[in-house]
């Protein structure tokens, strides 16, 4: 199925599940929507923190199309789930934003680790959370984000355990893809990031870590969601976790070299 | 000083020291010279083991010039020190090979970690052995080399301790330079390579490893010397450790991308 056909299916209500594995050759994106009054600060936040917040596309105020990511995208209907936050609290879950769309909304599409996981899998690097049928392990760290306006908070990371040969290979591969979090930000001792227990992730599921493996940590797309929440904006919208925007952008086209 | 001027100085007996730091922008090379009868096997050995034995240049039988590495090189006189091995034992140390040159000698020039260390230093990655004024730590591992004819043995590695951020950066940088050992082959637990004690290197000096650092291991140019020795050839010649061939090849020109 093409990304376009998939988005049409979502738009017509025919798909309301997580998008992991959908149209695997194409980039998926994290979504953030906020009023123009806060958009400039949020864009500066992303620019300051490119590893957790790599911008794939930013819409013009009021624009629900995203022509840079796909010809007929309607961001109001083409994701299988949305969360609406009011004053920093999750107020509502939706499958359609048309009723609440505002002419001052600015859309941010942020790169997603699904893209580099596809590259790792194609290179024969096993991913434990996929082997074990779980969500990736994610942790809050003690590494502060660069601050912009009301947006700050600490970096959130995802963790994939690997033998060192695969860790080295995965650094090489993900370095080529800065638009989808790029190289890891740390590997080895979790305590150096302020993570006390790998088996107690703050988001996602715990996975098995073998004695001959290193935990490898990437900047995570949950970071901007945390920043949005902690900013306690009157109104902000994100995708429902795992329910991403499927774009027409080939993952392979995101390689920086 | 140009590499050509430096080699002239060595040729005239004006330099008999290690070449670390000499003509830093230019690649230095490990040297192996052996009779044509064993040269094909040794070349296959290098091809099988490209990480410890990246070939920068191979001479024609009897040829003491190396035009691919520098216009006027005389390999018999242009290194500040040579070791001569007979039946696998070091028999002699020399500063000139002209008296013992044979028309069947084949010269191998093998990439050297000095090149990538220059790239790491330029990128702001500190190297502990340089900070502490020591030789890099090197270890025999339990990783068998690919065998070719009489050449085999186990991989030798060099180790540089780094915080994870520098380890990731050094993987990115050295991956660009496969001609000078390329990316690390391991990082983290030394026991996984059969190394019992980092403070007891088999070659070079021990260096400080801090609690927040990972040991990062690269394939080492001592590996082919070990293979030459263990093959117990009637006659083989190498550079004296640290006393390298200084070539006209810019380190930066060795970048694969």
């Amino acid at each position: 199925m093409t990304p376009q056909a998939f988005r049409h299916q979502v738009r017509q209500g025919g798909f309301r599940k997580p998008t992991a594995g959908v149209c695997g050759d194409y980039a998926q994106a994290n979504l953030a929507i906020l009023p123009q009054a806060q958009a400039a600060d949020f864009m500066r936040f992303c620019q300051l923190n490119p590893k957790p917040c790599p911008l794939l596309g930013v819409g013009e105020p009021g624009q629900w199309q995203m022509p840079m990511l796909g010809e007929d995208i309607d961001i109001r209907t083409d994701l299988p789930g949305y969360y609406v936050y009011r004053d920093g609290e999750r107020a509502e879950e939706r499958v359609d934003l048309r009723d609440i769309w505002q002419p001052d909304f600015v859309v941010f599409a942020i790169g997603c680790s699904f893209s580099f996981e596809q590259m790792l899998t194609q290179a024969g690097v096993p991913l434990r959370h996929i082997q074990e049928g779980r969500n990736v392990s994610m942790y809050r760290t003690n590494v502060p984000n660069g601050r912009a306006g009301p947006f700050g908070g600490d970096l959130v990371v995802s963790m994939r355990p690997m033998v060192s040969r695969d860790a080295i290979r995965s650094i090489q591969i993900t370095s080529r893809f800065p638009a989808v979090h790029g190289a890891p930000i740390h590997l080895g001792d979790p305590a150096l990031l302020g993570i006390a227990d790998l088996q107690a992730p703050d988001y996602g599921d715990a996975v098995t870590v073998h004695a001959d493996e290193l935990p490898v940590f990437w900047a995570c797309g949950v970071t901007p969601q945390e920043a949005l929440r902690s900013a306690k904006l009157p109104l902000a919208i994100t995708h429902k976790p795992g329910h991403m925007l499927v774009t027409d952008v080939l993952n392979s086209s995101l390689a920086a070299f």
Side-chain angles (χ1 to χ4, degrees), chain A residues 26-91:
Chain A
Y26 294 88
Q28 299 194 18
N30 299 282
L31 178 70
I33 301 175
L34 57 178
Q36 196 175 357
Q38 289 91 31
D41 279 340
F42 188 69
M43 193 150 174
R44 267 199 310 128
F45 177 79
C46 294
Q47 193 278 331
L48 263 175
N49 300 284
K51 296 206 81 161
C53 312
L55 285 174
L56 289 181
V58 181
E60 293 175 38
Q63 186 188 38
W64 62 78
Q65 302 88 339
M66 295 238 95
M68 71 296 271
L69 299 181
E71 202 173 286
D72 67 337
I73 290 174
D74 185 335
I75 209 75
R76 305 170 303 175
T77 55
D78 288 1
L79 280 73
Y82 303 86
Y83 279 172
V84 180
Y85 291 88
R86 296 184 192 278
D87 301 318
E89 299 290 326
R90 195 166 91 213

Side-chain angles (χ1 to χ4, degrees), chain A residues 4 39 156 188 239 245:
Chain A
Q4 190 164 6
V156 178
H239 65 289
L245 171 66

